Amino acid sequence: MNKINVKTPIVEIDGDEMTRVMWQMVKEQLLLPYLNMNLVYYDLQLKKRDETGDKITLEAAEAIKKYGVGVKCATITPNKDRMKEYNLKQEWNSPNGTIRAALDGTVFRAPILVSNVLPAVRSWKRPIHIGRHAYGDVYKNCEYRVPEAGKAELVFTNSASRELWRGTIQDFKGPGIIQGIHNTDKSIASFAKACFTYAYDQKINLWFGAKDTISKTYDAQFKKIFEQEYEANWKAKFKEAELEYFFTLIDDAIARIMKTEGGLLWACKNYDGDVMSDMLGSAYGSLAMMTSVLVSPEGYYEFEASHGTVQKHYYKYLKGEKTSSNSMALIFAWTGCLRKRGELDKTPEVVEFAKKLEEAALETVESGIMTGDLMLVATPSSKNKQASTEEFIAEVGKALQKKLK
Ligand code: NAP
Ligand code: MG
């Protein structure tokens, strides 16, 4: 078989621990034998970020801006333990946070559905997609441990050095904590636009939840900007396509999500999206059964797995013990990236390859060959067989080969 040419270079961002191990296997067994790709490679394993003073993360983000489409492996966000473990110069920021801040944009996540893993929520029949605003709020905060009694204030001084506003946060009688967060109209507007565009493309309803009854200025601004975007650009289109835009309070949204059939895009503020996407992932079966893509307002795309580096499995792997880590989300990060690249390059054969690889992966799980995380939640069957990390990828490889004949 002739290899398929991928026209434009792809930005490949490598990562850490068990996902790094799986990344290599997926590439070697499922991609490189079939594709001629020009990969622009950035190694974001923690050691490399430390060595380069985290410059490499910014370079990777710049490369995505240059080439348009990238794919990223999971990476360690260091904490105190990791500082010691890797002997780091500094507790570097989350690479995802850095890349998201550089590209702005919205992270869209959707469950990977298979017939033999039923969602934990019985009413869900179709996927619930999440659109997570990827800028600001608590992820770009300024916080302080208040050591003693005193007054905390919020002050805004304009660029001409004139104080426009001052408000009391709290008159502390003793120690406590304070935090300042922000967002910008520009970023919220691009978040809204990205969500309406995604829902319209996918032909699904759009829901947005915030807490504007309590946060009458901050959350209310999100609600207002979404409404403006809807009225100005989508109302007629949505009506014609029989789609609905629905705003409700975040707690009401959560209560309703539990009762819906699914088949909608749920737009979430940054923190809500962080927390709720893990809830959805696990309710649909496993954190590894979720696709994730960062879409920037300029039309750049970064595909990734939404789960972490699966640290506990990696330590077992290092000891030479058998592991059963699920590579589905990593495989789908690559297929999402290849499909988008193929669409932009107008190379249908690349899109077709991505589709076949996804089918091969789904059919492998549906045939009963699955990793440990899915064994726990799959519909019991005598065909179910737990595969190791390596065996699962090899089985997907066999299924793919049959499809490509
Ligand atoms: P995690 O890597 O997502 O793993 C949490 C648990 O979920 C695992 O211990 C495992 O459960 C299960 N799991 C996740 N992915 C799995 C897979 N592919 N196959 C099978 N089981 C899977 O989260 P974490 O342990 O909290 O974080 C580890 C590191 O990842 C941290 O350093 C964190 O900073 C980083 N992280 C990176 C990203 C990213 O780059 N996108 C996102 C989140 C976290 P069992 O142990 O029960 O099998
Ligand atoms: Mg999270």
Side-chain angles (χ1 to χ4, degrees):
M1 196 195 104
N2 284 337
K3 284 195 188 182
I4 300 164
N5 289 320
V6 181
K7 208 161 132 193
T8 308
I10 285 175
V11 180
E12 177 195 358
I13 305 178
D14 209 344
D16 288 296
E17 300 193 314
M18 201 62 204
T19 40
R20 185 183 181 89
V21 174
M22 291 193 277
W23 189 262
Q24 196 59 32
M25 293 176 187
V26 166
K27 246 174 78 180
E28 273 171 13
Q29 296 179 45
L30 306 179
L31 303 171
L32 297 181
Y34 310 105
L35 301 171
N36 272 327
M37 293 189 280
N38 184 357
L39 296 169
V40 183
Y41 181 81
Y42 289 86
D43 189 355
L44 257 59
Q45 62 166 306
L46 188 49
K47 202 166 59 125
K48 288 278 155 47
R49 281 178 274 147
D50 198 50
E51 278 168 21
T52 62
D54 209 23
K55 263 217 200 84
I56 190 151
T57 308
L58 285 171
E59 286 167 9
E62 286 308 312
I64 294 179
K65 287 188 184 171
K66 179 169 173 195
Y67 295 103
V69 183
V71 57
K72 180 180 171 293
C73 182
T75 44
I76 294 169
T77 299
N79 55 16
K80 294 273 178 291
D81 291 341
R82 301 297 202 163
M83 287 278 286
K84 260 192 246 147
E85 184 182 353
Y86 287 84
N87 193 19
L88 300 179
K89 292 184 220 148
Q90 198 178 313
E91 204 175 307
W92 303 106
N93 287 333
S94 150
N96 294 324
T98 304
I99 294 171
R100 281 171 202 157
L103 301 181
D104 196 342
T106 303
V107 176
F108 291 101
R109 292 191 170 158
I112 300 167
L113 300 183
V114 284
S115 58
N116 49 347
V117 177
L118 299 178
V121 179
R122 272 171 301 168
S123 58
W124 294 353
K125 306 271 184 283
R126 286 173 294 149
I128 295 169
H129 305 239
I130 270 203
R132 172 184 172 189
H133 187 202
Y135 178 84
D137 299 352
V138 73
Y139 302 85
K140 210 167 177 350
N141 67 358
C142 166
E143 50 182 21
Y144 177 62
R145 162 78 170 124
V146 173
E148 58 191 34
K151 185 169 166 180
E153 288 182 301
L154 203 56
V155 181
F156 178 75
T157 311
N158 75 6
S159 41
S161 305
R162 197 159 76 86
E163 184 181 310
L164 290 194
W165 190 79
R166 179 179 289 261
T168 301
I169 298 170
Q170 180 68 4
D171 271 315
F172 283 95
K173 305 284 178 269
I177 37 183
I178 54 170
Q179 178 182 61
I181 59 171
H182 84 281
N183 226 297
T184 66
D185 284 8
K186 184 166 173 252
S187 178
I188 301 168
S190 73
F191 168 43
K193 185 173 167 219
C195 289
F196 281 105
T197 308
Y198 183 97
Y200 187 73
D201 283 352
Q202 301 267 336
K203 298 286 167 273
I204 52 181
N205 291 332
L206 173 61
W207 290 19
F208 179 43
K211 197 71 180 178
D212 63 306
T213 46
I214 300 295
S215 172
K216 291 182 196 301
T217 302
Y218 198 105
D219 276 29
Q221 187 66 5
F222 278 83
K223 179 182 177 186
K224 194 167 133 194
I225 289 175
F226 265 73
E227 258 165 29
Q228 282 168 350
E229 176 67 21
Y230 175 63
E231 291 291 332
N233 301 317
W234 301 97
K235 201 170 177 180
K237 278 186 177 167
F238 264 49
K239 195 164 170 217
E240 197 193 302
E242 292 178 26
L243 296 175
E244 178 192 35
Y245 167 60
F246 175 55
F247 175 87
T248 185
L249 285 171
I250 179 68
D251 35 359
D252 182 50
I254 291 168
R256 285 171 189 262
I257 286 280
M258 289 298 166
K259 301 248 166 81
T260 116
E261 276 203 355
L264 59 94
L265 170 64
W266 182 13
C268 286
K269 290 177 59 203
N270 208 344
Y271 178 82
D272 300 337
D274 182 352
V275 177
M276 288 302 154
S277 59
D278 281 12
M279 188 270 285
L280 283 185
S282 115
Y284 275 110
S286 160
L287 293 184
M289 298 297 278
M290 195 90 169
T291 63
S292 182
V293 55
L294 173 70
V295 182
S296 92
E298 284 83 17
Y300 310 130
Y301 295 83
E302 184 207 39
F303 293 83
E304 54 165 14
S306 66
H307 58 75
T309 59
V310 215
Q311 181 182 9
K312 283 190 209 132
H313 297 205
Y314 182 60
Y315 291 158
K316 277 175 72 178
Y317 171 83
L318 285 182
K319 281 193 260 168
E321 289 172 30
K322 198 169 173 178
T323 58
S324 184
S325 315
N326 191 340
S327 47
M328 286 293 273
L330 293 177
I331 294 171
F332 274 70
W334 275 101
T335 56
C337 161
L338 289 166
R339 177 181 293 110
K340 181 51 75 182
R341 198 59 274 169
E343 284 168 10
L344 295 172
D345 290 344
K346 305 207 168 38
T347 48
E349 62 281 13
V350 175
V351 176
E352 186 60 23
F353 175 83
K355 185 169 157 253
K356 286 190 171 145
L357 176 49
E358 285 181 1
E359 284 168 3
L362 295 171
E363 286 164 18
T364 300
V365 176
E366 287 178 344
S367 78
I369 299 167
M370 59 185 85
T371 45
D373 53 330
L374 294 183
M375 285 298 280
L376 297 171
V377 290
T379 311
S381 158
S382 56
K383 287 193 299 183
N384 291 359
K385 182 178 166 283
Q386 178 160 329
S388 68
T389 308
E390 297 81 357
E391 283 162 356
F392 181 74
I393 294 170
E395 288 295 331
V396 175
K398 279 189 215 158
L400 178 63
Q401 224 162 27
K402 273 193 211 145
K403 282 182 184 291
L404 291 173
K405 263 198 191 135

